[in-house]
Amino acid sequence: MSLLAWCSRRVGGLSMIAIIALSYWVITSESVIERHGYTFEHPESKTAGYTTPTTTTGAGIWTRIFVYYCVLVHLAIATFPLRACWAVWDITQTLSRTTRNSLRSLKSRPAHRRGSYASVSSSETLISSEPQTAAPSTATSSEAGDFEPEMYTDEGDLPKGASVTHAIIIPNYKEELDTLKETLEVLASHPQAQSCYDVYLGMEQREQNGEAKALGLVQNFAKKFRSIDYVVHPSDIPGEAAGKGSNIGWAARKLSAKYGENRKNVIVTGIDADSHLASSYFAQLTDMHLNHPDTASTTLYAAPIIFDRNAHSVPAIVRIADILWSAGGMSGLYRGSAIAPPTSVYSLSLELIDRVGGWDTDAEAIGEDLHMYVKCFFALNGNITNRTILSPVSQSNVAGGGKGGIRGLYVDMQARYKQALRHMWGALDSGFALRKTVEMWQNRKQTTRAFRPLHQSAGGNFDTYFPESQLGPQTPNSPRESGIFSDVTQEDMPEPHLENLFYMAHRLFEAHIMPVHMTVLVLASTIFLWATEGKEELASLRWVIGWCGPIRAVGFIAVACYILMYERYHTICVTTREKEMREAGLSEGMCFSYRSFKSNWTDYAMIPLVAPLYGSIPCIQAEITHFWTIDLVYTVSKKVTRQRARSIHDAAAAMA
């Protein structure tokens, strides 16, 4: 392992050590220390006693660096909730204008069934046919995140000859059967499910009876989708850990072989096992993809998430932690955002997946949503296109199974902390981005690049060798005509987008570095003001750092404002979802968590506790642990499922 690789994987921990060392050096060097002397009285001269107040020499330029960096971090902390406020307001305003009649129009959309089938053998179905040549594509400059409220409501509205296939991967490891069944029922209720949904269950070989569970689901939902299948991620692949990233990566490799020359109109969507997507998600996704063909192969689509299923049954501190977590994702989805990392659910074309070499599956990619976004970003030299799908994805709050009382509160808070630790383990992505930045700079003069379909490549396409004869003076962005490299596609490489690179660095700093630095600097700035009181030469710097307190207050007020604005967003989302589930006949027993200030006023009181408990502390733990291991055992959080009444058959079986 190179020095760069070792340091980059521990960039969070190294930065924590650096900021602690800087704070200690400045405070100890600039503090006014009164050293009390001793009293000595000579028996003849009777000399009086004395004290000698002394001052250290100071830290020089490091004091200014400490002070201004402290203010900079405080400004960044205050900017985040302000940006989140703008995002939730922008999204809410657009949702309120565009979702009133969307479900009604979608229900009138005819569902045409095209070759629906089910497979009882995942390997036979997924690799039975040889792929055709990959279609050419061009990486274009990045566009701002778009809101596309218009959607196709009838097959006749689609461009002539247009046909989009949605390959939906549901990775899961030790998820409850009811959780998967409910997610599939929601997808099956969509009017376009039988015409264009290819569902793939990403199972894990390490899970006992996992394949039997998948087979039962495939048989139950065989007629509900265009196709449904499952793949099993082997447990003996070196360097691959069990979890969402490895399961979705393995499923993508297998499904890649199924689609031939029309790969550019295959859109892969990765979702969590408990994600409930509205039919408008895929309608808008189809609309965006077909209306923007020039950027379709460089676009990653993301949607805001909402915790509206069991929020009423979890402790306030867990509820507000999830609300603020969703704010982190939503803060990049506003109109005009150049960087929009997804949270849990996202979509991208199969062509883009081919270009980047699929998902990484090592321990470093445990946060596969952000990791895949970073990978796509650098594969396109920062020229990624972001589009926001205005169809919020319903998620469950983490629950530990607590049944009230102090014990129940502790269990639920512990479960949420484990999830927070897994989120903060994603600090490894900052190191990944650092290495990719170095790689992008080293290859900045490269003008072309070649790639193959995912199932034909060895994983990372950047390291794949192709003979010069196959990459000779032929038209860029076109496949080879013959030979064993006939499926190789060559593309022009755009110049690195340095502005987007700056924005990406800011977002990663905000997610993985700032929580720890903020905690250290809050304490350090307070101690600095106390230790340097009365030191006239530092009067101007003391005045500057004194602004940190008011800036923190602005940040807290902005967070409270975000939650106030979130109330309307939450109401619109849960009302729309309940309406769609009622029309689909799935609302009975399903949870819909509504909010009101009267019942949720305690959420606001939890704001000061959430940042350290589920932000700074797990981030510190993760970054310290990274010094000796980057492996984290993937644990499944408990999910809420629809309450089902037992059928007569089940009751009879129980009595037998």
Side-chain angles (χ1 to χ4, degrees):
M1 181 186 298
S2 67
L3 179 62
L4 174 62
W6 189 93
C7 292
S8 63
R9 287 185 172 92
R10 294 150 182 89
V11 64
L14 292 174
S15 71
M16 177 174 58
I17 293 174
I19 193 63
I20 292 175
L22 174 64
S23 301
Y24 177 80
W25 170 251
V26 169
I27 291 172
T28 56
S29 299
E30 295 289 1
S31 61
V32 176
I33 305 173
E34 187 175 276
R35 297 178 181 174
H36 296 282
Y38 57 90
T39 300
F40 174 76
E41 184 176 333
H42 195 276
E44 296 181 358
S45 62
K46 302 203 182 278
T47 306
Y50 62 91
T51 58
T52 58
T54 61
T55 305
T56 57
T57 57
I61 188 63
W62 296 107
T63 303
R64 293 185 177 276
I65 292 175
F66 167 78
V67 169
Y68 288 111
Y69 180 70
C70 186
V71 175
L72 179 65
V73 170
H74 277 76
L75 287 173
I77 284 289
T79 301
F80 163 69
L82 291 174
R83 191 177 73 244
C85 285
W86 165 248
V88 72
W89 180 86
D90 198 22
I91 292 173
T92 302
Q93 289 296 108
T94 310
L95 280 176
S96 64
R97 293 194 304 264
T98 60
T99 59
R100 295 172 184 171
N101 300 318
S102 61
L103 293 178
R104 185 180 304 169
S105 62
L106 283 171
K107 292 300 291 184
S108 65
R109 183 178 183 178
H112 304 289
R113 182 175 176 82
R114 296 199 297 264
S116 178
Y117 71 94
S119 171
V120 297
S121 173
S122 60
S123 59
E124 292 177 356
T125 300
L126 292 176
I127 59 174
S128 58
S129 60
E130 293 296 326
Q132 302 297 321
T133 304
S137 62
T138 303
T140 61
S141 61
S142 177
E143 297 180 1
D146 294 342
F147 291 120
E148 303 283 351
E150 300 82 8
M151 64 188 72
Y152 293 112
T153 57
D154 190 87
E155 292 287 345
D157 294 333
L158 295 172
K160 186 176 180 180
S163 176
V164 174
T165 299
H166 293 285
I168 305 170
I169 303 177
I170 309 178
N172 68 96
Y173 177 41
K174 296 182 179 179
E175 296 285 357
E176 295 182 7
L177 180 62
D178 285 345
T179 300
L180 294 170
K181 185 176 180 181
E182 184 171 308
T183 299
L184 290 171
E185 286 174 343
V186 172
L187 288 173
S189 69
H190 298 177
Q192 64 269 49
Q194 291 184 334
S195 63
C196 57
Y197 287 9
D198 289 347
V199 178
Y200 300 91
L201 303 175
M203 312 304 293
E204 176 60 49
Q205 192 178 48
R206 295 173 177 85
E207 179 182 356
Q208 187 177 6
N209 299 324
E211 191 167 358
K213 179 171 66 176
L215 183 59
L217 291 170
V218 167
Q219 292 174 342
N220 290 338
F221 289 90
K223 298 181 180 180
K224 302 294 182 65
F225 302 106
R226 181 177 182 266
S227 70
I228 181 170
D229 208 336
Y230 71 94
V231 296
V232 180
H233 174 244
S235 60
D236 57 352
I237 301 179
E240 294 197 5
K244 182 181 176 183
S246 56
N247 287 356
I248 196 172
W250 184 257
R253 293 179 214 169
K254 294 302 180 181
L255 70 85
S256 172
K258 176 181 174 180
Y259 303 102
E261 59 184 9
N262 196 31
R263 299 174 72 82
K264 68 177 181 180
N265 283 332
V266 176
I267 306 177
V268 179
T269 299
I271 70 175
D272 285 350
D274 66 325
S275 298
H276 287 187
L277 280 70
S279 56
S280 59
Y281 179 96
F282 295 99
Q284 291 184 41
L285 180 57
T286 300
D287 183 29
M288 294 180 190
H289 182 79
L290 295 177
N291 276 343
H292 302 277
D294 293 339
T295 58
S297 62
T298 63
T299 301
L300 190 143
Y301 307 89
I305 63 174
I306 179 171
F307 295 92
D308 64 346
R309 304 247 281 283
N310 63 325
H312 59 282
S313 61
V314 298
I317 192 169
V318 174
R319 183 166 55 246
I320 201 66
D322 285 330
I323 289 176
L324 295 180
W325 172 253
S326 67
M330 196 183 303
S331 66
L333 301 181
Y334 59 89
R335 194 188 315 266
S337 176
I339 300 297
T343 305
S344 300
V345 176
Y346 54 99
S347 304
L348 63 169
S349 69
L350 188 55
E351 267 196 337
L352 180 55
I353 296 174
D354 289 340
R355 177 181 280 108
V356 304
W359 280 261
D360 290 339
T361 55
D362 56 2
E364 194 174 21
I366 189 171
E368 47 70 48
D369 44 11
L370 176 59
H371 190 89
M372 186 59 170
Y373 182 84
V374 173
K375 188 175 184 181
C376 292
F377 177 89
F378 284 100
L380 299 172
N381 278 353
N383 295 276
I384 191 170
T385 306
N386 308 286
R387 298 195 189 280
T388 299
I389 300 178
L390 283 179
S391 180
V393 178
S394 174
Q395 302 273 29
S396 298
N397 293 89
V398 175
K403 299 181 179 180
I406 300 299
R407 174 64 180 173
L409 174 64
Y410 172 77
V411 171
D412 287 340
M413 289 179 63
Q414 184 183 45
R416 183 61 182 82
Y417 184 85
K418 290 181 179 178
Q419 187 184 58
L421 179 61
R422 189 168 73 243
H423 290 160
M424 293 305 175
W425 208 264
L428 292 167
D429 287 328
S430 292
F432 175 71
L434 181 60
R435 296 195 302 277
K436 286 297 181 181
T437 300
V438 174
E439 180 181 320
M440 184 175 71
W441 179 254
Q442 292 174 340
N443 299 329
R444 64 189 182 280
K445 296 182 180 180
Q446 183 177 341
T447 58
T448 60
R449 181 180 58 196
F451 63 90
R452 306 178 69 176
L454 179 61
H455 60 283
Q456 297 286 12
S457 67
N461 283 315
F462 307 123
D463 300 324
T464 305
Y465 168 75
F466 302 109
E468 290 295 330
S469 59
Q470 292 296 325
L471 304 178
Q474 304 186 40
T475 304
N477 308 307
S478 62
R480 307 302 97 198
E481 295 182 357
S482 61
I484 61 173
F485 294 99
S486 59
D487 57 358
V488 175
T489 298
Q490 186 176 354
E491 65 169 356
D492 290 328
M493 286 290 293
E495 294 183 358
H497 199 303
L498 299 182
E499 182 181 355
N500 283 351
L501 181 62
F502 171 79
Y503 295 142
M504 171 64 80
H506 168 254
R507 296 297 172 84
L508 292 176
F509 173 83
E510 189 177 72
H512 302 142
I513 307 299
M514 200 163 62
V516 176
H517 284 211
M518 182 62 182
T519 302
V520 174
L521 291 174
V522 166
L523 297 174
S525 61
T526 304
I527 297 173
F528 177 83
L529 288 172
W530 171 77
T532 60
E533 186 176 1
K535 195 170 183 179
E536 295 181 0
E537 59 267 33
L538 294 179
S540 59
L541 292 179
R542 283 172 53 81
W543 180 84
V544 171
I545 203 171
W547 280 98
C548 292
I551 294 173
R552 285 198 297 270
V554 170
F556 277 116
I557 294 172
V559 172
C561 290
Y562 169 81
I563 299 176
L564 281 172
M565 301 171 71
Y566 173 87
E567 303 289 359
R568 186 181 176 213
Y569 165 78
H570 186 100
T571 300
I572 292 174
C573 293
V574 71
T575 302
T576 302
R577 186 172 71 87
E578 185 175 16
K579 178 182 177 182
E580 182 170 1
M581 292 299 96
R582 188 184 300 114
E583 292 178 354
L586 299 176
S587 62
E588 184 178 356
M590 188 173 286
C591 295
F592 302 94
S593 295
Y594 285 88
R595 290 180 57 85
S596 67
F597 183 81
K598 182 179 179 180
S599 59
N600 297 116
W601 64 269
T602 54
D603 292 5
Y604 296 85
M606 295 294 107
I607 293 175
L609 300 178
V610 168
L613 185 59
Y614 295 122
S616 301
I617 295 176
C619 192
I620 291 172
Q621 180 180 349
E623 292 177 356
I624 291 176
T625 307
H626 288 163
F627 280 106
W628 60 85
T629 181
I630 62 173
D631 296 322
L632 178 68
V633 178
Y634 188 90
T635 57
V636 179
S637 303
K638 188 177 180 62
K639 312 289 194 316
V640 64
T641 57
R642 196 175 70 199
Q643 303 166 5
R644 296 177 175 86
R646 293 189 307 171
S647 64
I648 297 178
H649 178 271
D650 292 335
M655 295 174 61

